[in-house]
Amino acid sequence: QGKLSECNICNIKFSSRNLLFSHIRSAHARQNNECDIIDEQSASAVKTVKKSAAISVSYHFRRSDDISTYSKFSASNKVSDSKVPDSSSDEFSDAERVGVIIRDSFLDSIRSFHYPDSVKLSPKERDIHSVLRSKISVTGLTQSSVAKLRHSSLGLEKGVGAVSDAICISYLVPVTSPKIHDYSSSTFNKLISAMNNRVQKLVGKSLSENISLAFIRVLSARAIISTSTRKAVPFHAERACTQRTYHYLLPLSWIPGGTQAEQWLLDNRQDPDEKFLLQNTDETKKKNSHLVGETDDQDAKPPNDSLRQLKEILRKSESTRYHAKNVGMGFELLSDIEKNVRLADKRYGSLSKRSKQCWHNFADPELRGDASPNNEPVWRVLDRNRVSSFLGVPHSTKRKLTSFENDADFTDGGLCSDKGDEKEVMAVIEISGDDFLKQQVPRIIASVVAICNGWLPEDYFNLATRPDIFLQTPLAPIHGHMYFAGSKFHFDKLENRGMGLFDGMCRGENGENKPTETIKTWVREMQNILLQERISNEIRRLDKEWLCSLHHDITPRISKAIKNINQITSQGTNEYKQTSQSDYENPCSTENEEEVPCAYLESLQLLRKVSKKWPVTSAARSKVIRNNDVAQNINQIKEKGVLDLPIELSGSFTVINPKFSWKTKILPTHANTLFPELVEAVFDLERRLSIDIASTSNKIQQRPVSSHCAINRNAQFTPHVDSGRGAGQSLSMIVGLGNYTGGELFIEGEPSNIRYIPIEFNGWKMRHWTAPFHGERFSLVWFTPEEKGNKSNRN
């Protein structure tokens, strides 16, 4: 039929399929597998195929401003700080820097692997190899610690190194390469060695201002292929990660009785040659149970309950696990608490039975609205928070940490051989979860320290993880204490018949498979680097200053806030419920209308007029109004005729400006039809207020007219950010009306009195909420959301 058959490898066309098959058998069966590539032009026409490789890398950066930056912020730690000090002026995180370094070193190594330089090649063959090498390129890079598909608040923060960070690299390689199907472990061992030779040249060099690479090592690598078909399969290191783990080195001197526990641990260490004093593995758990007081032997018991108390408080921060029999029961049989539980149902196996917690108070304050409770990224699962091991650290700066590995450096009982060389013990806290917000881990650790010392209540985690409460959390030092320990890929392990991502790829010095010993070495090397920095007297001094600030400045401020919250809770969440029936029937009786500014009088009268037929609040907005379900239940009872008396209802509804110029046709809300006079009055009020604000603040232009107005009555909003984003208007405007006390508007922790005082703020990016109040409180919020096409906005 005149159709030509084309070779997919070299793009040569043939008049018949027989000629094509003959060509494949003769040309592509050659050992060099380069077909009829006779010059650079034919080499450039060779097709490529996509491959993937997973790489595990360990790294740590050294910053000249690490100590001053993190310690200064840890000491102040104010919620109202407008800006968190950054450890670098560069926009890239440490993990992103490593990704670029690994990508470049992998590309050079894989090119040399497929087309190595050889003196035996002729000049023409060298030119052909050069063209084929250039066709090998990296098409994608994903990293378990870098947030690209996830929210940016979940990425690895600056100043934190990693023991085993998983990187997946997608790359193209010519199909004519003779080693295209070489997936052997020896091949990847050579690739690891070549990559390490390249990256080690960067160690100690300054990558940018104040930043140098202190340590980097490629630990293992493997091809991403199907175990059954041996073909490349897609893999995404960030999206496929189901659990992430951090380690924090906690000095026992930070907790009460820790000094005695340190000496007791050193005296009871069972292996004097080990730097690890205790490891909580399955094999040693029973043997070392006396080190946490789980024994009846009086002589082996610790001198106090400090270790046991630390263990119990760490567990209190973990997410609750709900058993399958409770989750599977009928909805009507569940308790009120269980009905509101958010389960991580998309996780692997039993991990899906753990509940999500709102960690918005433990996030970096710089995230602001991104850490709002109504944003899904702050709802995280904390699977495990335990002590994994204890480390002995020398105080003397004359001794090297690497000497800990030598037998001669220890005497009986684990004390250093040098006289007068003190030693402190650090607990390695292992924190695992589905994901972590920036600063979440050090804030959890600081809270644990405060609870252990009795500076914060034991139920602090239950209170601080409530989505309806904004509460300050302390921040522990990061420098010299914290690192990213690794990630797990449970679904990938299931698809690969129980084999983990890097199982079988960890090799010893002689090439033998020693995954456990090798991982242990990586962890020790990272800990040695952190502890070597900790030997500095400056870091010890700053740690003591932080602990003193935590005791005398930070926790008293938090305790005062907790006391206020408990008082409000005991009196009833919404204090406006105490308003009497006579006040409802004649709301003006307690307020002289002459005290109401003239501009607000008409709007206030109309708001009071419609109070008896207040619309039902939408389900989405009800989620950010405290105890709004009570008002909705009263509304339902009243509709059924059970209750005939007037009832004070709280709630919120939205109206649309009929005079706004829309690009697309927008239908009015149901409230526009019910209250046309109120609609006209509130937007006329905005126009008057905009003129006043422009004249008093000397603005060149007054506020543009808004398209929407949220009308609220006796609604106490919980911390949140507004959904969507503004179109042409980055600022919302709010004002309070009515006879009430309290009810300030909090914006990122700063209160503002809005009673007849309009203010503008960015409600889409800044967390805001309502303070408790007493009396009758209305508020109007004018805003302009982004248009979403020709859709009905009916409430």
Side-chain angles (χ1 to χ4, degrees):
Q1 298 177 354
K3 292 183 179 180
L4 297 178
S5 300
E6 182 180 352
C7 176
N8 291 332
I9 300 176
C10 57
N11 298 331
I12 299 178
K13 297 181 179 180
F14 299 90
S15 58
S16 67
R17 296 178 63 186
N18 289 336
L19 292 176
L20 172 61
F21 294 148
S22 177
H23 159 77
I24 293 174
R25 286 191 296 269
S26 60
H28 295 288
R30 300 176 188 174
Q31 185 175 359
N32 62 8
N33 205 19
E34 293 186 3
C35 193
D36 294 328
I37 301 177
I38 57 176
D39 52 26
E40 297 180 37
Q41 183 177 0
S42 57
S44 61
V46 173
K47 290 188 175 182
T48 56
V49 63
K50 190 174 183 179
K51 300 288 183 180
S52 297
I55 300 170
S56 179
V57 60
S58 178
Y59 56 86
H60 179 66
F61 286 83
R62 183 172 288 113
R63 286 178 161 82
S64 60
D65 57 351
D66 259 349
I67 298 178
S68 60
T69 299
Y70 284 113
S71 62
K72 186 181 299 183
F73 179 58
S74 299
S76 62
N77 197 33
K78 294 181 180 179
V79 171
S80 59
D81 286 346
S82 59
K83 183 174 178 59
V84 176
D86 196 358
S87 59
S88 171
S89 59
D90 200 292
E91 59 180 357
F92 294 104
S93 66
D94 295 351
E96 290 174 312
R97 290 177 180 276
V98 168
V100 174
I101 294 173
I102 295 300
R103 180 199 63 191
D104 295 342
S105 62
F106 175 83
L107 185 59
D108 292 341
S109 301
I110 204 71
R111 283 175 174 175
S112 300
F113 168 73
H114 284 281
Y115 298 101
D117 293 330
S118 176
V119 294
K120 299 180 180 180
L121 296 177
S122 64
K124 183 177 181 180
E125 290 174 330
R126 286 178 180 272
D127 294 338
I128 294 176
H129 271 220
S130 177
V131 174
L132 293 174
R133 280 167 60 92
S134 65
K135 294 184 74 65
I136 300 178
S137 60
V138 173
T139 59
L141 183 145
T142 60
Q143 202 166 343
S144 62
S145 61
V146 175
K148 290 186 176 179
L149 292 183
R150 298 172 294 153
H151 196 273
S152 58
S153 62
L154 300 174
L156 188 66
E157 50 198 300
K158 297 177 182 179
V160 178
V163 167
S164 180
D165 193 0
I167 299 176
C168 179
I169 296 180
S170 301
Y171 62 100
L172 297 176
V173 61
V175 294
T176 58
S177 170
K179 300 180 180 180
I180 191 172
H181 297 299
D182 190 351
Y183 302 125
S184 63
S185 59
S186 60
T187 295
F188 279 93
N189 285 336
K190 294 178 182 178
L191 180 63
I192 293 171
S193 178
M195 292 178 65
N196 276 322
N197 290 336
R198 286 173 168 81
V199 299
Q200 291 305 316
K201 297 177 181 179
L202 297 175
V203 175
K205 293 185 178 180
S206 178
L207 302 182
S208 67
E209 185 180 2
N210 301 326
I211 301 176
S212 62
L213 186 61
F215 167 78
I216 185 171
R217 177 167 297 176
V218 180
L219 308 177
S220 59
R222 56 158 287 193
I224 304 297
I225 57 174
S226 172
T227 54
S228 56
T229 62
R230 304 294 294 174
K231 293 183 179 180
V233 293
F235 181 81
H236 199 286
E238 179 186 356
R239 186 169 50 199
C241 181
T242 52
Q243 190 178 63
R244 293 172 173 84
T245 302
Y246 285 85
H247 283 175
Y248 191 93
L249 308 185
L250 174 69
L252 290 184
S253 58
W254 287 4
I255 63 177
T259 304
Q260 294 87 345
E262 284 181 338
Q263 187 60 48
W264 178 82
L265 280 169
L266 292 170
D267 294 339
N268 286 272
R269 183 170 59 175
Q270 297 187 0
D271 188 357
D273 298 333
E274 276 289 337
K275 181 180 66 177
F276 287 91
L277 304 181
L278 165 66
Q279 297 186 75
N280 290 338
T281 59
D282 294 336
E283 294 80 6
T284 61
K285 185 176 181 180
K286 183 177 181 180
K287 181 177 67 174
N288 295 317
S289 61
H290 66 286
L291 292 181
V292 290
E294 297 175 354
T295 177
D296 295 331
D297 187 357
Q298 297 297 327
D299 296 332
K301 281 189 175 182
N304 50 51
D305 292 334
S306 57
L307 298 181
R308 182 185 295 275
Q309 183 188 24
L310 174 63
K311 176 181 177 181
E312 292 175 353
I313 294 175
L314 287 172
R315 284 187 173 180
K316 288 183 178 180
S317 65
E318 296 178 356
S319 300
T320 304
R321 181 177 177 180
Y322 290 84
H323 298 286
K325 61 179 182 179
N326 293 335
V327 177
M329 67 194 318
F331 183 82
E332 64 280 357
L333 299 179
L334 295 175
S335 65
D336 292 338
I337 297 177
E338 290 174 330
K339 290 178 181 179
N340 296 324
V341 167
R342 291 192 185 188
L343 292 180
D345 52 0
K346 295 183 180 180
R347 300 188 69 199
Y348 178 81
S350 61
L351 297 178
S352 63
K353 301 300 184 291
R354 288 193 178 271
S355 62
K356 292 183 178 181
Q357 294 172 286
C358 184
W359 294 95
H360 67 113
N361 288 315
F362 292 82
D364 185 348
E366 180 66 10
L367 296 174
R368 294 181 175 270
D370 290 336
S372 172
N374 59 334
N375 285 345
E376 191 62 28
V378 304
W379 289 84
R380 306 262 55 94
V381 181
L382 187 59
D383 298 321
R384 180 182 176 88
N385 192 5
R386 307 290 173 85
V387 178
S388 64
S389 60
F390 293 94
L391 297 175
V393 187
H395 279 194
S396 174
T397 57
K398 298 179 181 179
R399 296 175 58 81
K400 296 181 179 180
L401 286 168
T402 52
S403 66
F404 275 24
E405 306 299 330
N406 300 328
D407 298 347
D409 290 331
F410 295 95
T411 60
D412 292 340
L415 296 176
C416 294
S417 57
D418 292 347
K419 293 183 179 181
D421 189 10
E422 294 180 294
K423 182 178 299 176
E424 68 173 339
V425 176
M426 305 187 77
V428 181
I429 310 298
E430 182 176 284
I431 306 181
S432 301
D434 64 336
D435 220 332
F436 292 91
L437 296 162
K438 290 181 180 179
Q439 297 188 3
Q440 180 182 343
V441 171
R443 289 184 183 275
I444 290 175
I445 295 297
S447 301
V448 169
V449 172
I451 296 172
C452 284
N453 285 277
W455 303 334
L456 290 178
E458 292 188 359
D459 62 344
Y460 177 71
F461 282 110
N462 293 333
L463 191 64
T465 54
R466 282 177 51 177
D468 60 337
I469 289 178
F470 186 89
L471 187 64
Q472 180 182 358
T473 55
L475 174 66
I478 297 177
H479 183 72
H481 291 274
M482 178 177 160
Y483 59 88
F484 180 68
S487 48
K488 293 184 179 180
F489 305 86
H490 292 97
F491 290 104
D492 177 75
K493 186 175 182 178
L494 180 65
E495 294 176 358
N496 286 278
R497 303 172 183 175
M499 290 287 290
L501 187 62
F502 298 107
D503 286 355
M505 303 305 297
C506 306
R507 302 287 171 178
E509 294 181 358
N510 299 325
E512 66 277 15
N513 186 9
K514 292 185 176 182
T516 305
E517 289 79 0
T518 308
I519 292 174
K520 189 176 180 180
T521 302
W522 302 339
V523 172
R524 288 185 178 186
E525 195 158 5
M526 172 61 71
Q527 291 173 345
N528 280 339
I529 292 175
L530 295 181
L531 297 179
Q532 182 68 52
E533 297 173 350
R534 181 169 173 73
I535 286 180
S536 165
N537 291 329
E538 177 69 11
I539 293 183
R540 294 181 186 276
R541 181 184 65 81
L542 293 172
D543 280 357
K544 290 181 179 179
E545 289 182 0
W546 170 80
L547 197 63
C548 182
S549 175
L550 180 67
H551 182 199
H552 298 290
D553 180 29
I554 301 173
T555 52
R557 193 164 57 239
I558 298 175
S559 298
K560 184 178 179 181
I562 293 175
K563 184 178 180 180
N564 293 335
I565 292 173
N566 291 335
Q567 287 179 351
I568 295 170
T569 304
S570 61
Q571 295 173 3
T573 308
N574 283 331
E575 297 186 2
Y576 64 79
K577 293 177 184 177
Q578 301 174 6
T579 307
S580 65
Q581 180 62 33
S582 61
D583 290 341
Y584 178 83
E585 295 173 351
N586 188 14
C588 299
S589 60
T590 58
E591 179 181 21
N592 188 349
E593 291 192 3
E594 295 180 356
E595 296 178 359
V596 180
C598 225
Y600 298 91
L601 190 56
E602 181 183 3
S603 298
L604 180 59
Q605 290 175 343
L606 290 172
L607 287 169
R608 286 169 171 167
K609 183 179 179 181
V610 303
S611 295
K612 295 182 181 181
K613 43 185 177 180
W614 201 266
V616 177
T617 307
S618 65
R621 193 167 294 180
S622 295
K623 294 179 180 179
V624 293
I625 298 180
R626 195 183 302 274
N627 276 9
N628 191 63
D629 54 339
V630 176
Q632 298 303 327
N633 291 336
I634 294 175
N635 195 22
Q636 294 173 4
I637 294 173
K638 190 175 179 181
E639 288 177 356
K640 294 179 181 180
V642 180
L643 188 62
D644 297 328
L645 295 176
I647 297 296
E648 292 192 49
L649 298 177
S650 68
S652 174
F653 63 90
T654 301
V655 295
I656 292 179
N657 189 351
K659 299 180 181 179
F660 188 81
S661 299
W662 297 95
K663 295 181 180 178
T664 57
K665 184 179 179 181
I666 302 294
L667 298 178
T669 65
H670 181 56
N672 279 70
T673 306
L674 292 177
F675 318 119
E677 295 180 359
L678 178 62
V679 172
E680 183 178 355
V682 295
F683 285 106
D684 182 64
L685 176 60
E686 182 201 19
R687 181 183 60 81
R688 295 184 184 184
L689 297 179
S690 300
I691 296 174
D692 293 341
I693 292 176
S695 60
T696 56
S697 59
N698 296 324
K699 288 186 177 181
I700 299 177
Q701 292 182 346
Q702 70 180 51
R703 173 184 174 84
V705 62
S706 300
S707 62
H708 291 65
C709 180
I711 303 176
N712 313 306
R713 182 181 191 276
N714 290 343
Q716 185 183 355
F717 284 85
T718 60
H720 70 285
V721 291
D722 299 331
S723 59
R725 56 183 178 180
Q729 254 188 352
S730 60
L731 300 178
S732 302
M733 184 168 68
I734 184 172
V735 69
L737 303 87
N739 185 24
Y740 66 92
T741 57
E744 294 85 358
L745 175 70
F746 276 81
I747 304 174
E748 292 296 335
E750 290 293 335
S752 298
N753 179 20
I754 62 170
R755 186 170 182 264
Y756 302 122
I757 304 175
I759 65 170
E760 292 182 302
F761 69 102
N762 193 331
W764 287 281
K765 293 185 178 180
M766 305 177 74
R767 288 171 293 181
H768 53 282
W769 62 95
T770 312
F773 56 88
H774 175 77
E776 180 191 47
R777 181 183 184 274
F778 297 97
S779 63
L780 303 175
V781 187
W782 293 276
F783 62 98
T784 302
E786 185 180 32
E787 293 186 42
K788 297 183 180 180
N790 187 8
K791 294 183 180 181
S792 172
N793 279 314
R794 289 191 175 274
N795 198 330

